[in-house]
Amino acid sequence: MHPIQFSEVKNIYEYEKIRPDFRAKIIAEKKHRRFQIGEHMTIVFENRNSVLFQIQEMIRVEKIITDEGMQHEIDTYNLILPGKNELSATLLIDITEKHLIKPMLDSLIGLHRDSIYIVIDGREIPALFDESQIEDDRISAVQYIKWVLTDEDVRKFSDHSIVIQIAVKHKNYTASHTLTEDEQEALSADLIATN
């Protein structure tokens, strides 16, 4: 996907004018790109619009007004854009009870080692985790992951007769989600946009 350019990002004042409509558009787009994997994990697939939204929201929340600060956010979030034949996602480990946060995260150490897959017609493709987030003795509740697909994998996303799943196979957490036709179409559109 073509990286987001500085010229596409609005300053806080201009963003506030379009924010309600842009936010509504992103919420609608995420409907078929966000889903639960078991009780404690959510995956949100990213595309250009969702990444631009995250940049704009960070600039808004952090009250960033300098060109350098805005460019830093753009450079940071461009790293999660999917490339050719890639799917990119934010993995959220959902723990609402404060006393369970550390034990739950500790139990998921090693998640980055062949534990999360896209399964296309029975073929497992492991997720690649953001190297800058990987530590052997701890895990963050937010992870950025990507899958690199073949041309044939990309083609299969547009075929609704093929079953596609997201599966987690960790020793302390096993769950899966089978994509609906709408979810499959949304991700197929994102894959087409990367080419």
Side-chain angles (χ1 to χ4, degrees), residues 47-82:
N47 62 21
R48 250 181 139 263
N49 285 337
S50 68
V51 171
L52 179 57
F53 179 70
Q54 287 187 59
I55 291 167
Q56 291 288 182
E57 288 294 303
M58 282 303 295
I59 289 169
R60 179 180 185 266
V61 169
E62 299 291 328
K63 296 181 176 39
I64 298 169
I65 58 170
T66 66
D67 289 355
E68 295 80 15
M70 290 172 66
Q71 188 62 56
H72 174 74
E73 294 303 319
I74 293 165
D75 294 342
T76 299
Y77 282 98
N78 267 336
L79 296 174
I80 65 174
L81 275 175

Side-chain angles (χ1 to χ4, degrees), residues 7-98:
S7 59
E8 297 174 78
V9 178
K10 299 189 178 305
N11 63 42
I12 295 171
Y13 174 72
E14 293 298 325
Y15 179 58
E16 284 301 325
K17 292 191 238 179
I18 65 149
R19 185 174 184 261
D21 289 340
F22 189 46
R23 187 171 178 273
K25 176 183 174 180
I26 298 302
I27 289 169
E29 282 190 13
K30 283 188 177 182
K31 180 179 179 185
H32 300 300
R33 290 175 175 85
R34 178 186 185 102
F35 34 84
Q36 288 292 126
I37 310 292
E39 187 179 352
H40 296 289
M41 289 189 190
T42 301
I43 286 191
V44 183
F45 281 87
E46 306 292 355
N47 62 21
R48 250 181 139 263
N49 285 337
S50 68
V51 171
L52 179 57
F53 179 70
Q54 287 187 59
I55 291 167
Q56 291 288 182
E57 288 294 303
M58 282 303 295
I59 289 169
R60 179 180 185 266
V61 169
E62 299 291 328
K63 296 181 176 39
I64 298 169
I65 58 170
T66 66
D67 289 355
E68 295 80 15
M70 290 172 66
Q71 188 62 56
H72 174 74
E73 294 303 319
I74 293 165
D75 294 342
T76 299
Y77 282 98
N78 267 336
L79 296 174
I80 65 174
L81 275 175
K84 180 177 168 50
N85 286 4
E86 288 182 349
L87 286 171
S88 179
T90 301
L91 171 67
L92 309 163
I93 301 169
D94 307 316
I95 313 162
T96 53
E97 299 86 0
K98 192 170 184 177

Side-chain angles (χ1 to χ4, degrees), residues 146-162:
K146 288 185 179 183
W147 289 271
V148 179
L149 308 178
T150 65
D151 289 340
E152 181 64 12
D153 295 330
V154 171
R155 186 198 63 74
K156 287 181 177 180
F157 262 86
S158 62
D159 183 345
H160 295 288
S161 69
I162 292 175

